[in-house]
Amino acid sequence: MTAPSTYGLSTQARNLQWLLTDLVEEVPGVNSVAVVSSDGLLLLSSEPTAAEAGAAPQNPPARPKGPRGASADLATIVSGLGSLTTGAADLMDGGAVKQTMVAMEHGSVFVMSISDGSLLGVHATPDCDMSVVAYHMALFVGRAGHVLTPEVRSELRQSMEKTP
């Protein structure tokens, strides 16, 4: 996988992109990852930019990835699941939602809250080790939560808008 360009980004934004890339490349079974703001906008994506996707890869991916645009779809799903589970938790007086997992015949979707109201979403293969995926997501959330300030969210949003 080729990480999206980090040219011109702050150190905090580059570190978040590095953490996201590491999550995809190091955790077996992870297909794609998206970080979504509390208002549903895609902030970070594991999908390479169009320019990087067209370049000849130095090292082809070890596992198949989803189709182009899969991260945008994942962001939409993550945002919807986040809203749905928050509403359910409110109705049931369940407190804050920490994690949601949807197991499907051909894959799984995990959603985890980040401290600022943003959400981390992961699409994984059906044979992934769910506890390993959840553990690495918790590590990401722990490392990213304090860095995802309003300024960094705005910077990431702007960088995603520039991506063709």
Side-chain angles (χ1 to χ4, degrees):
M1 176 188 137
T2 306
S5 175
T6 57
Y7 178 76
L9 294 180
S10 67
T11 301
Q12 294 89 349
R14 285 192 312 269
N15 286 343
L16 286 171
Q17 185 61 57
W18 177 84
L19 286 171
L20 183 128
T21 301
D22 191 53
L23 179 63
V24 174
E25 291 180 351
E26 299 299 321
V27 181
V30 171
N31 288 327
S32 60
V33 180
V35 175
V36 181
S37 66
S38 58
D39 54 358
L41 298 174
L42 182 62
L43 298 177
L44 282 171
S45 166
S46 61
E47 188 171 282
T49 63
E52 291 162 336
Q58 298 292 336
N59 297 315
R63 59 190 176 273
K65 298 293 176 203
R68 178 96 184 114
S71 292
D73 291 343
L74 179 60
T76 301
I77 293 164
V78 166
S79 182
L81 283 172
S83 294
L84 180 65
T85 55
T86 297
D90 287 345
L91 286 171
M92 296 179 192
D93 293 326
V97 177
K98 297 181 181 191
Q99 182 178 3
T100 303
M101 196 274 298
V102 179
M104 301 168 286
E105 185 177 350
H106 299 292
S108 297
V109 175
F110 301 82
V111 179
M112 193 171 283
S113 298
I114 301 176
S115 63
D116 70 333
S118 298
L119 299 167
L120 171 64
V122 171
H123 173 238
T125 62
D127 61 343
C128 73
D129 185 332
M130 293 180 188
S131 61
V132 170
V133 173
Y135 172 76
H136 284 278
M137 287 178 71
L139 288 177
F140 180 96
V141 166
R143 293 173 181 155
H146 69 283
V147 177
L148 207 48
T149 63
E151 295 80 18
V152 173
R153 285 194 309 270
S154 177
E155 178 184 2
L156 291 170
R157 214 177 279 141
Q158 289 173 2
S159 73
M160 291 302 290
E161 289 171 1
K162 292 177 188 175
T163 302

